[in-house]
Amino acid sequence: MPDNSSYLVVPVFALWLFVLVAVGVLAVVLVTMMLRARKGRRLAVAGVDPARGSLPEFEKNGQSAAAALVQWSPETLRHILATELPDAQVIVVSNREPYIHNREGDDIQLVVPASGLVSALEPITRACAGTWIAYGGGSADKLVVDKNDRIEVPPDNPSYTLRRVWLSEEEQQGYYLGFANEGLWPLCHIAFTRPVFRASDWEAYEAVNRKFADTVVAEARNERPIVLVQDYHFALLPRMIRERLPEAIIITFWHIPWPNSEVFSICPWREKILDGLLGSSIVGFHTQFHCNNFIDSVDRFLESRIEREDSAISYGGQISLVHAYPISIEWPPAQLGKLPDVAQCRRQVREKFGLAENVKLCVGVERLDYTKGILDRFNALDELLTLHPEWIGKVAFLQIAAPSRGTLPAYQQLYEECLRHAEDLNQRYGREGYTPVLMITEHHSQQQVYEIYRAADVCMVTSLHDGMNLVAKEFVAAREDEQGVLLLSMFAGASKELLDALIVNPYDAAMMGDALLQALTMSQEEQSQRMRRMREIVRDNNVYRWAGSMLLDAARLRKRDAVDRAVSAAPAAPANVISLLDRRRVAAL
């Protein structure tokens, strides 16, 4: 009979090994549970409720995995504020104000500017019942505010406070027209316009940023407001606020592109601008590409520690997150409720501009700015009519170009070039009863703009370089009939979302001409399929999601700050244990 004892050694050894591993795992679980219970007691003693659900850790770019499943609305924002940010004061800071009061004879007229920034932020501030701080530039602005320079808006349904800041003509000239728009604007846009930097403009820019910082501190009801700083007018403001309100959550959103580090090096005050922005808890851009450019600039010019995987920068003892938050519009746009159906809008617009029923209408809507590619649209139309003369008399282009920064030489030159180009096209291709280019250099209300969107067969958004460009999203939102074609520049941030548009390179006139022909000849069925998908994207990724993502990130930061304070106030940990607060301090070195 064979001896099998040697075959029993391995199974018995495996059994004992399994038992030992199981006991070890159980011990680890018990120790973990005890540590969590102990931490919960410590947080409770410190005034932090451990039973309250913590926010899920966000993915890159400030987006959570569950965000796409949420139906974002004003109610969603109010819920976030009530549950995640109770008693939080929301302060918005921008150069442009959402409501302007102008004197018209003996009367005061209220103007709502047609601005992408205003259209994005106004519904947010309404939903949050916040405070909006802005430059008061209307001729009657001072006549309608109270003794504290405040006014409740909107007039028909007051929902938040507008606090106006007054600037002298010299301040406005140096800070706004000078450094912001002759310096930073061309620096950040690849439109081949040379930036102009003057020491006097920089001094005005610093002074105005300081004035706005004083106003933010005066409006803050406590030491921990949530401050939403908007755009390139206030690069220094976050640091100035941080110095006086160190516990504030400051989210700075840069609405225009951020250049690569080589281009940014042109700016004489590059380190001060980066230092100012890194006073923010979060620095936001439209796209990850612009986030990467900003991080590269910091890496090149400041002594800092960068965690690229987490999109975080440790600088001066503070951590700043750098996230992408693609901005959007209100859904559904409030203006649509004031307009007739698409067919009626089409009839009204065609009657107003003298267009025959068989003429296809292409539109462009924006400020008169050299970054918007207006001349390139004219070149595309020229290309189309040259190669396909059968379209002469059958297509017209309506350009709505609101006057902007008209005192600056680059804008004066653009205006003259646009008029000359439009006149040349009309002379070469126009005929009795037919004008191929209609250029209207007047301000239009949002309601008028949406009426034009609804009447258009093609909307051309051909930015040479843009942060997002909300015209593309407004056009899509205006077309519940699911008709119309969006022709969209690859250099606009919206092209990363609206993939069913006809994506073009505005520098390629031949490509633009071909795309315009494709748009004019596209079947109604294909238009409907493309428009339906784009409308779903704009509906789901609306402005409330944009704001909600930032507010949720703000809530996460406030919770972490509460934990840090609780940990620092708790009894000292063993010598071989490093607290979360200490790890953050080490990371900032």
Side-chain angles (χ1 to χ4, degrees):
M1 186 173 190
D3 184 2
N4 295 325
S5 60
S6 61
Y7 295 101
L8 296 176
V9 174
V10 173
V12 171
F13 175 76
L15 178 62
W16 278 105
L17 180 62
F18 174 78
V19 171
L20 290 173
V21 170
V23 171
V25 170
L26 180 61
V28 170
V29 170
L30 290 174
V31 171
T32 302
M33 292 176 64
M34 292 173 62
L35 290 175
R36 286 181 177 176
R38 181 181 177 186
K39 180 179 179 181
R41 289 193 295 272
R42 287 164 56 191
L43 293 178
V45 170
V48 180
D49 183 6
R52 187 167 172 211
S54 60
L55 291 172
E57 194 68 24
F58 278 26
E59 298 174 352
K60 285 184 180 180
N61 307 337
Q63 302 296 330
S64 70
L69 304 177
V70 177
Q71 294 294 319
W72 292 91
S73 66
E75 290 71 29
T76 311
L77 290 183
R78 282 190 282 267
H79 177 74
I80 290 173
L81 289 169
T83 59
E84 303 295 347
L85 294 165
D87 304 321
Q89 179 190 13
V90 177
I91 301 175
V92 175
V93 185
S94 71
N95 176 75
R96 179 168 295 187
E97 56 183 338
Y99 294 93
I100 303 171
H101 291 87
N102 285 327
R103 188 192 296 274
E104 296 287 338
D106 295 331
D107 299 325
I108 295 177
Q109 182 181 10
L110 178 68
V111 178
V112 180
S115 159
L117 183 147
V118 169
S119 63
L121 282 170
E122 211 272 337
I124 305 312
T125 318
R126 272 193 275 117
C128 299
T131 299
W132 189 322
I133 300 173
Y135 161 57
S139 58
D141 276 354
K142 287 188 177 182
L143 301 179
V144 298
V145 296
D146 63 16
K147 63 180 181 180
N148 296 312
D149 299 324
R150 302 186 187 114
I151 182 173
E152 298 299 311
V153 291
D156 55 343
N157 181 27
S159 306
Y160 66 92
T161 302
L162 172 59
R163 167 68 190 274
R164 285 171 169 153
V165 177
W166 315 115
L167 302 178
S168 67
E169 183 63 32
E170 293 75 17
E171 287 175 322
Q172 180 71 353
Q173 184 72 32
Y175 138 81
Y176 178 75
L177 292 174
F179 189 77
N181 287 308
E182 283 192 287
L184 289 180
W185 180 267
L187 177 72
C188 292
H189 288 87
I190 303 174
F192 307 105
T193 298
R194 179 178 174 136
V196 177
F197 296 110
R198 307 180 188 91
S200 59
D201 291 343
W202 171 252
E203 292 170 1
Y205 188 82
E206 281 187 304
V208 171
N209 274 246
R210 182 70 64 187
K211 181 177 288 191
F212 272 83
D214 293 341
T215 306
V216 170
V217 173
E219 290 295 320
R221 295 194 295 266
N222 55 53
E223 295 181 350
R224 303 184 68 205
I226 296 174
V227 186
L228 305 178
V229 178
Q230 304 302 311
D231 226 351
Y232 62 102
H233 310 93
F234 299 114
L236 306 180
L237 183 59
R239 178 65 62 196
M240 293 175 174
I241 297 173
R242 177 70 61 203
E243 290 170 351
R244 301 178 53 190
L245 296 173
E247 295 184 21
I249 299 295
I250 304 170
I251 302 177
T252 300
F253 193 81
W254 194 267
H255 287 261
I256 63 177
W258 188 273
N260 63 52
S261 62
E262 185 71 16
V263 172
F264 183 67
S265 68
I266 294 171
C267 182
W269 302 280
R270 60 200 181 200
E271 289 87 0
K272 290 186 177 181
I273 288 174
L274 293 174
D275 174 81
L277 289 171
L278 290 179
S280 309
S281 312
I282 302 173
V283 182
F285 298 91
H286 290 301
T287 69
Q288 186 60 40
F289 183 70
H290 298 152
C291 292
N292 296 343
N293 281 348
F294 177 77
I295 292 173
D296 289 343
S297 298
V298 173
D299 192 20
R300 181 170 178 178
F301 298 113
L302 295 182
E303 289 293 332
S304 60
R305 174 170 175 169
I306 296 174
E307 299 291 344
R308 292 184 182 271
E309 185 175 353
D310 300 323
S311 294
I313 299 173
S314 298
Y315 172 75
Q318 178 202 332
I319 294 178
S320 299
L321 304 179
V322 183
H323 283 171
Y325 304 94
I327 200 170
S328 194
I329 62 172
E330 184 180 18
W331 184 277
Q335 289 78 11
L336 295 185
K338 307 171 185 177
L339 290 172
D341 60 26
V342 171
Q344 180 63 23
C345 289
R346 183 180 178 88
R347 285 193 294 270
Q348 290 175 179
V349 169
R350 287 177 172 274
E351 181 179 347
K352 178 179 179 179
F353 294 104
L355 300 174
E357 185 60 32
N358 66 332
V359 173
K360 294 276 190 176
L361 176 60
C362 305
V363 303
V365 180
E366 54 264 301
R367 291 183 304 103
L368 187 62
D369 194 285
Y370 52 78
T371 66
K372 301 302 182 182
I374 297 174
L375 291 171
D376 301 273
R377 287 172 215 166
F378 292 163
N379 291 335
L381 181 64
D382 191 4
E383 188 81 9
L384 172 74
L385 298 181
T386 298
L387 298 179
H388 302 277
E390 67 274 14
W391 279 97
I392 297 176
K394 297 180 181 178
V395 60
F397 179 63
L398 171 62
Q399 176 63 58
I400 304 297
S404 175
R405 307 166 189 166
T407 59
L408 299 182
Y411 290 83
Q412 295 171 353
Q413 180 180 348
L414 173 67
Y415 174 70
E416 294 168 359
E417 286 185 26
C418 286
L419 290 182
R420 284 199 302 268
H421 208 149
E423 183 179 356
D424 175 63
L425 291 174
N426 289 336
Q427 287 181 350
R428 288 195 285 127
Y429 299 113
R431 59 182 64 169
E432 183 67 29
Y434 169 65
T435 303
V437 178
L438 302 167
M439 184 162 174
I440 312 298
T441 55
E442 300 173 359
H443 290 284
H444 284 63
S445 68
Q446 282 293 88
Q447 185 172 335
Q448 291 172 318
V449 166
Y450 271 88
E451 182 183 46
I452 292 171
Y453 291 147
R454 289 161 78 83
D457 295 292
V458 180
C459 181
M460 300 181 73
V461 179
T462 57
S463 309
L464 303 180
H465 199 195
D466 226 327
M468 177 56 66
N469 198 303
L470 293 179
V471 169
K473 296 186 176 184
E474 290 173 348
F475 173 69
V476 169
R479 300 310 294 261
E480 70 264 28
D481 63 334
E482 297 182 349
Q483 293 297 294
V485 181
L486 175 61
L487 198 149
L488 179 58
S489 167
M490 62 188 293
F491 302 116
S495 66
K496 307 299 186 292
E497 296 181 77
L498 303 179
L499 302 180
D500 286 286
L502 298 183
I503 308 298
V504 298
N505 177 358
Y507 292 93
D508 188 341
M511 178 189 186
M512 289 259 284
D514 291 342
L516 184 52
L517 178 63
Q518 181 183 352
L520 293 171
T521 57
M522 186 180 294
S523 68
Q524 291 187 349
E525 181 181 1
E526 183 179 354
Q527 290 182 44
S528 181
Q529 292 174 350
R530 289 174 178 266
M531 187 61 72
R532 187 179 303 119
R533 289 191 291 264
M534 290 191 291
R535 285 175 60 81
E536 290 173 356
I537 290 171
V538 177
R539 179 198 65 201
D540 295 340
N541 298 337
N542 58 39
V543 71
Y544 303 111
R545 179 176 180 179
W546 172 73
S549 297
M550 289 190 290
L551 292 177
L552 283 172
D553 272 1
R556 179 166 60 93
L557 291 176
R558 291 193 75 171
K559 286 187 175 184
R560 284 185 173 177
D561 288 344
V563 171
D564 285 349
R565 287 193 299 273
V567 170
S568 62
N576 62 336
V577 177
I578 301 177
S579 71
L580 173 64
L581 184 62
D582 291 334
R583 288 202 303 272
R584 289 181 63 182
R585 286 172 177 166
V586 170
L589 295 179

